[in-house]
Amino acid sequence: MNEFLTVLAFAALPALGNFAGGILAEFIIASDRALSLALHAATGVVVAVISLELIPASLRVDAPLMTVLSFVAGGLFFIVVDQVTQLVKTRFGSGDIDVGASMIFLGVVVDLFTDGVMIGTGSTIATELGLLLALGQVPADVPEGLATIIAFKRQGVPRRRRFQIAAAFAIPIFLGATIGYWLIRGQSELVKMALLTFTAGILTTLVVEEIIPEAHQDGEARFATLLFLGGFALFGLLSVFLE
Protein backbone atom coordinates (compact mmCIF):
# COMPACT_ATOMS: atom_id res chain seq x y z
CA MET A 1 0.00 0.00 0.00
CA ASN A 2 2.89 2.37 0.75
CA GLU A 3 4.15 1.79 -2.77
CA PHE A 4 0.74 2.68 -4.20
CA LEU A 5 0.64 5.88 -2.14
CA THR A 6 4.02 6.74 -3.62
CA VAL A 7 2.54 6.26 -7.09
CA LEU A 8 -0.33 8.60 -6.24
CA ALA A 9 2.18 11.14 -4.92
CA PHE A 10 4.05 10.92 -8.24
CA ALA A 11 0.77 11.39 -10.14
CA ALA A 12 -0.03 14.47 -8.06
CA LEU A 13 2.99 16.29 -9.53
CA PRO A 14 1.68 16.61 -13.12
CA ALA A 15 -1.86 17.10 -11.77
CA LEU A 16 -0.65 20.12 -9.81
CA GLY A 17 1.30 21.33 -12.84
CA ASN A 18 -1.83 21.21 -14.97
CA PHE A 19 -3.87 23.03 -12.32
CA ALA A 20 -1.16 25.67 -11.96
CA GLY A 21 -1.26 26.25 -15.71
CA GLY A 22 -5.03 26.68 -15.54
CA ILE A 23 -4.72 29.23 -12.74
CA LEU A 24 -2.00 31.08 -14.67
CA ALA A 25 -4.39 31.40 -17.61
CA GLU A 26 -6.64 33.57 -15.46
CA PHE A 27 -3.94 36.24 -15.22
CA ILE A 28 -2.82 36.54 -18.84
CA ILE A 29 -4.48 37.74 -22.02
CA ALA A 30 -6.26 34.88 -23.79
CA SER A 31 -4.68 35.43 -27.20
CA ASP A 32 -4.02 33.16 -30.18
CA ARG A 33 -0.30 33.69 -29.61
CA ALA A 34 -0.44 32.52 -25.98
CA LEU A 35 -2.45 29.44 -26.95
CA SER A 36 -0.03 28.53 -29.74
CA LEU A 37 3.03 28.96 -27.51
CA ALA A 38 1.52 26.84 -24.72
CA LEU A 39 0.56 24.02 -27.08
CA HIS A 40 4.00 23.99 -28.73
CA ALA A 41 5.78 23.78 -25.37
CA ALA A 42 3.55 20.93 -24.22
CA THR A 43 4.04 19.06 -27.49
CA GLY A 44 7.82 19.24 -27.16
CA VAL A 45 7.77 17.52 -23.79
CA VAL A 46 5.26 14.86 -24.84
CA VAL A 47 7.31 13.97 -27.94
CA ALA A 48 10.45 13.78 -25.78
CA VAL A 49 8.80 11.39 -23.29
CA ILE A 50 7.77 9.10 -26.13
CA SER A 51 11.00 9.17 -28.13
CA LEU A 52 13.58 9.30 -25.33
CA GLU A 53 12.03 7.01 -22.71
CA LEU A 54 9.06 4.91 -23.77
CA ILE A 55 10.08 3.67 -27.21
CA PRO A 56 13.78 2.95 -26.47
CA ALA A 57 12.86 1.02 -23.31
CA SER A 58 10.13 -0.98 -25.05
CA LEU A 59 12.43 -2.13 -27.86
CA ARG A 60 14.83 -3.76 -25.40
CA VAL A 61 12.39 -6.53 -24.44
CA ASP A 62 12.58 -10.08 -25.80
CA ALA A 63 9.65 -9.60 -28.19
CA PRO A 64 9.91 -6.05 -29.60
CA LEU A 65 7.32 -6.85 -32.29
CA MET A 66 4.70 -7.09 -29.56
CA THR A 67 5.49 -3.62 -28.29
CA VAL A 68 5.48 -2.20 -31.84
CA LEU A 69 2.04 -3.67 -32.42
CA SER A 70 0.92 -2.23 -29.08
CA PHE A 71 2.07 1.21 -30.26
CA VAL A 72 -0.05 0.88 -33.41
CA ALA A 73 -3.00 -0.39 -31.37
CA GLY A 74 -2.75 2.68 -29.14
CA GLY A 75 -2.92 4.98 -32.16
CA LEU A 76 -5.92 3.14 -33.59
CA PHE A 77 -7.64 3.25 -30.21
CA PHE A 78 -7.32 7.04 -30.08
CA ILE A 79 -8.69 7.38 -33.62
CA VAL A 80 -11.77 5.36 -32.65
CA VAL A 81 -12.30 7.39 -29.47
CA ASP A 82 -11.86 10.63 -31.42
CA GLN A 83 -14.40 9.57 -34.06
CA VAL A 84 -16.96 8.56 -31.44
CA THR A 85 -16.42 11.86 -29.63
CA GLN A 86 -16.92 13.81 -32.84
CA LEU A 87 -20.16 11.96 -33.57
CA VAL A 88 -21.50 12.59 -30.07
CA LYS A 89 -20.46 16.24 -30.26
CA THR A 90 -22.21 16.65 -33.63
CA ARG A 91 -25.41 14.95 -32.53
CA PHE A 92 -25.77 16.13 -28.95
CA GLY A 93 -23.46 19.14 -28.67
CA SER A 94 -25.03 22.18 -27.10
CA GLY A 95 -23.05 24.64 -29.20
CA ASP A 96 -21.92 26.78 -26.25
CA ILE A 97 -18.30 25.65 -26.64
CA ASP A 98 -16.61 25.44 -30.02
CA VAL A 99 -15.06 22.26 -31.39
CA GLY A 100 -11.52 23.57 -30.95
CA ALA A 101 -11.94 24.11 -27.22
CA SER A 102 -13.69 20.77 -26.74
CA MET A 103 -10.97 18.95 -28.67
CA ILE A 104 -8.27 20.55 -26.54
CA PHE A 105 -10.24 19.44 -23.47
CA LEU A 106 -10.52 15.89 -24.81
CA GLY A 107 -6.83 15.87 -25.69
CA VAL A 108 -5.81 16.97 -22.20
CA VAL A 109 -8.08 14.38 -20.54
CA VAL A 110 -6.61 11.61 -22.70
CA ASP A 111 -3.08 12.88 -22.13
CA LEU A 112 -3.51 13.07 -18.35
CA PHE A 113 -5.06 9.60 -18.21
CA THR A 114 -2.19 8.14 -20.22
CA ASP A 115 0.26 10.08 -18.03
CA GLY A 116 -1.25 8.33 -15.04
CA VAL A 117 -1.07 4.94 -16.73
CA MET A 118 2.58 5.55 -17.58
CA ILE A 119 3.41 6.64 -14.04
CA GLY A 120 1.59 3.69 -12.47
CA THR A 121 3.06 1.16 -14.91
CA GLY A 122 6.53 2.70 -14.87
CA SER A 123 6.59 2.58 -11.07
CA THR A 124 6.03 -1.19 -11.14
CA ILE A 125 9.14 -1.50 -13.33
CA ALA A 126 11.28 0.84 -11.23
CA THR A 127 10.40 3.58 -8.77
CA GLU A 128 12.93 5.84 -10.47
CA LEU A 129 11.15 5.39 -13.82
CA GLY A 130 7.81 6.34 -12.29
CA LEU A 131 9.36 9.47 -10.77
CA LEU A 132 11.06 10.39 -14.05
CA LEU A 133 7.81 10.07 -16.00
CA ALA A 134 5.97 12.13 -13.39
CA LEU A 135 8.57 14.91 -13.27
CA GLY A 136 8.91 14.85 -17.03
CA GLN A 137 5.20 15.48 -17.49
CA VAL A 138 5.10 18.56 -15.25
CA PRO A 139 6.68 20.89 -17.87
CA ALA A 140 4.11 19.61 -20.39
CA ASP A 141 1.09 19.76 -18.12
CA VAL A 142 1.63 23.39 -17.12
CA PRO A 143 1.23 24.68 -20.71
CA GLU A 144 -1.52 22.10 -21.32
CA GLY A 145 -3.54 23.46 -18.42
CA LEU A 146 -2.76 26.97 -19.63
CA ALA A 147 -3.89 26.23 -23.19
CA THR A 148 -7.10 24.51 -22.06
CA ILE A 149 -8.30 27.29 -19.80
CA ILE A 150 -7.28 29.91 -22.38
CA ALA A 151 -9.44 28.09 -24.95
CA PHE A 152 -12.45 28.07 -22.61
CA LYS A 153 -11.77 31.65 -21.55
CA ARG A 154 -11.88 32.77 -25.18
CA GLN A 155 -15.26 31.06 -25.55
CA GLY A 156 -16.73 33.01 -22.66
CA VAL A 157 -17.01 30.09 -20.23
CA PRO A 158 -17.67 31.53 -16.72
CA ARG A 159 -14.69 31.72 -14.35
CA ARG A 160 -16.26 29.41 -11.78
CA ARG A 161 -16.74 26.72 -14.39
CA ARG A 162 -13.16 27.21 -15.62
CA PHE A 163 -11.86 26.60 -12.09
CA GLN A 164 -14.00 23.47 -11.88
CA ILE A 165 -12.55 22.22 -15.17
CA ALA A 166 -8.99 22.90 -13.99
CA ALA A 167 -9.57 21.02 -10.72
CA ALA A 168 -11.34 18.12 -12.46
CA PHE A 169 -8.22 17.36 -14.50
CA ALA A 170 -6.84 15.59 -11.42
CA ILE A 171 -9.40 12.81 -11.89
CA PRO A 172 -8.07 11.23 -15.13
CA ILE A 173 -4.44 11.18 -13.99
CA PHE A 174 -5.21 9.56 -10.62
CA LEU A 175 -7.53 7.10 -12.34
CA GLY A 176 -4.84 6.24 -14.89
CA ALA A 177 -2.18 5.81 -12.19
CA THR A 178 -4.45 3.51 -10.20
CA ILE A 179 -5.28 1.35 -13.21
CA GLY A 180 -1.68 1.30 -14.41
CA TYR A 181 -0.40 0.21 -11.01
CA TRP A 182 -2.92 -2.42 -9.95
CA LEU A 183 -3.57 -3.87 -13.41
CA ILE A 184 0.11 -4.34 -14.27
CA ARG A 185 1.60 -5.04 -10.85
CA GLY A 186 3.12 -8.53 -10.88
CA GLN A 187 2.88 -8.91 -14.67
CA SER A 188 5.84 -9.72 -16.91
CA GLU A 189 8.12 -7.00 -18.26
CA LEU A 190 6.72 -7.62 -21.75
CA VAL A 191 3.17 -6.88 -20.62
CA LYS A 192 4.32 -3.73 -18.82
CA MET A 193 6.21 -2.48 -21.86
CA ALA A 194 3.30 -3.33 -24.14
CA LEU A 195 1.03 -1.11 -22.03
CA LEU A 196 3.59 1.70 -22.04
CA THR A 197 3.88 1.60 -25.83
CA PHE A 198 0.08 1.42 -26.12
CA THR A 199 -0.11 4.72 -24.22
CA ALA A 200 2.76 6.05 -26.36
CA GLY A 201 0.70 5.28 -29.46
CA ILE A 202 -2.26 7.16 -27.99
CA LEU A 203 -0.09 10.18 -27.15
CA THR A 204 1.60 10.24 -30.56
CA THR A 205 -1.72 10.20 -32.39
CA LEU A 206 -3.12 12.80 -30.01
CA VAL A 207 -0.21 15.15 -30.75
CA VAL A 208 -0.38 14.68 -34.53
CA GLU A 209 -4.16 14.73 -34.94
CA GLU A 210 -5.29 17.22 -32.30
CA ILE A 211 -2.67 19.30 -30.52
CA ILE A 212 -0.44 20.35 -33.45
CA PRO A 213 -3.36 21.27 -35.77
CA GLU A 214 -4.95 23.30 -32.97
CA ALA A 215 -1.62 25.05 -32.29
CA HIS A 216 -1.50 26.18 -35.95
CA GLN A 217 -5.20 26.90 -36.43
CA ASP A 218 -4.90 30.68 -36.00
CA GLY A 219 -1.36 31.04 -37.27
CA GLU A 220 1.84 30.09 -35.49
CA ALA A 221 3.53 32.46 -33.08
CA ARG A 222 6.99 33.42 -34.33
CA PHE A 223 8.95 31.69 -31.57
CA ALA A 224 6.59 28.75 -31.09
CA THR A 225 9.04 26.26 -32.63
CA LEU A 226 11.70 27.36 -30.16
CA LEU A 227 9.34 26.47 -27.33
CA PHE A 228 8.74 23.07 -28.90
CA LEU A 229 12.50 22.47 -29.03
CA GLY A 230 12.89 23.86 -25.53
CA GLY A 231 10.28 21.50 -24.14
CA PHE A 232 11.97 18.54 -25.81
CA ALA A 233 15.40 19.59 -24.52
CA LEU A 234 14.07 20.18 -21.01
CA PHE A 235 12.80 16.63 -20.67
CA GLY A 236 16.03 15.31 -22.23
CA LEU A 237 18.11 17.12 -19.60
CA LEU A 238 15.80 15.92 -16.83
CA SER A 239 16.07 12.34 -18.08
CA VAL A 240 19.87 12.47 -18.14
CA PHE A 241 20.01 14.10 -14.71
CA LEU A 242 17.76 11.54 -13.01
CA GLU A 243 19.51 8.59 -14.63
Side-chain angles (χ1 to χ4, degrees), residues 2-212:
N2 288 337
E3 186 180 23
F4 175 60
L5 293 178
T6 300
V7 171
L8 293 182
F10 290 167
L13 297 175
L16 288 173
N18 190 279
F19 184 75
I23 297 301
L24 179 61
E26 297 296 334
F27 299 96
I28 66 174
I29 299 175
S31 65
D32 294 341
R33 177 184 175 86
L35 181 61
S36 177
L37 292 175
L39 290 174
H40 275 82
T43 299
V45 178
V46 172
V47 171
V49 170
I50 296 168
S51 59
L52 298 181
E53 287 296 328
L54 299 184
I55 299 302
S58 67
L59 294 178
R60 290 195 292 266
V61 299
D62 294 334
L65 179 60
M66 176 67 73
T67 56
V68 172
L69 292 176
S70 296
F71 179 86
V72 175
L76 293 175
F77 175 78
F78 178 81
I79 291 173
V80 171
V81 171
D82 187 44
Q83 287 296 111
V84 172
T85 303
Q86 290 280 16
L87 290 174
V88 172
K89 178 69 178 178
T90 301
R91 185 168 183 178
F92 301 106
S94 61
D96 59 336
I97 298 175
D98 77 346
V99 174
S102 63
M103 286 301 100
I104 291 178
F105 176 80
L106 171 64
V108 173
V109 169
V110 172
D111 181 49
L112 288 172
F113 178 77
T114 53
D115 286 352
V117 172
M118 288 190 297
I119 292 168
T121 304
S123 297
T124 66
I125 299 172
T127 303
E128 294 80 4
L129 178 59
L131 177 60
L132 173 61
L133 293 173
L135 290 176
Q137 287 303 320
V138 174
D141 287 320
V142 172
E144 273 187 352
L146 179 69
T148 306
I149 300 306
I150 285 177
F152 285 115
K153 191 176 180 181
R154 292 170 64 194
Q155 295 305 311
V157 176
R159 172 173 289 187
R160 180 177 179 180
R161 188 177 176 190
R162 295 198 301 265
F163 276 116
Q164 291 172 341
I165 292 171
F169 280 140
I171 297 174
I173 192 165
F174 283 122
L175 178 61
T178 300
I179 293 175
Y181 178 79
W182 290 110
L183 183 65
I184 298 301
R185 187 168 178 255
Q187 299 292 330
S188 66
E189 183 181 10
L190 178 60
V191 172
K192 294 175 181 178
M193 288 302 176
L195 181 58
L196 285 178
T197 50
F198 182 81
T199 59
I202 293 175
L203 287 175
T204 302
T205 312
L206 165 66
V207 166
V208 172
E209 294 295 326
E210 300 295 344
I211 297 181
I212 291 179

